Amino acid sequence: MALVDDVYATGQSGRRAVKELRSMGCVSTFFTIFSYSSDVEMQEVLGTEATALTYFKPMREKCLKKGIITPDQADKVTEQVDIYRKTIYE
């Protein structure tokens, strides 16, 4: 079964979906359009194969290289992303 999500941030919703499908005897692979994590990190959290179309770190680096954002702005965005990713949803 293919699970498709728009954004992978904390992995909480994806993990719940994988767990529910597993309880029904399904094997799943997780796909997301955008991820703040690497494939390896997603796979560790979800316990299944996972991949994304785009990732935060390479996009951040591309924006820096093209001068779209300054190093200070990149650091601030990264700090906020890190804070958000540590958020636990009940």
Side-chain angles (χ1 to χ4, degrees):
M1 168 101 30
L3 287 171
V4 181
D5 198 0
D6 56 349
V7 177
Y8 178 94
T10 64
Q12 301 251 335
S13 60
R15 187 172 40 231
R16 282 193 299 268
V18 168
K19 183 179 176 182
E20 186 63 29
L21 288 170
R22 199 171 277 141
S23 75
M24 295 185 290
C26 298
V27 175
S28 61
T29 300
F30 184 86
F31 300 94
T32 187
I33 297 167
F34 181 83
S35 178
Y36 292 101
S37 300
S38 69
D39 288 352
V40 171
E41 290 171 312
M42 286 191 294
Q43 291 167 11
E44 288 173 357
V45 168
L46 299 172
T48 193
E49 290 185 50
T51 193
L53 184 61
T54 55
Y55 301 88
F56 173 72
K57 288 179 184 177
M59 287 184 75
R60 176 187 182 268
E61 295 308 311
K62 186 77 150 183
C63 288
L64 278 167
K65 186 175 181 179
K66 289 186 168 246
I68 296 169
I69 58 175
T70 66
D72 186 52
Q73 290 169 327
D75 291 343
K76 287 178 183 176
V77 169
T78 302
E79 180 182 343
Q80 290 303 307
V81 165
D82 290 343
I83 290 168
Y84 175 73
R85 289 188 63 219
K86 291 176 184 165
T87 303
I88 303 295
Y89 296 98
E90 295 298 319

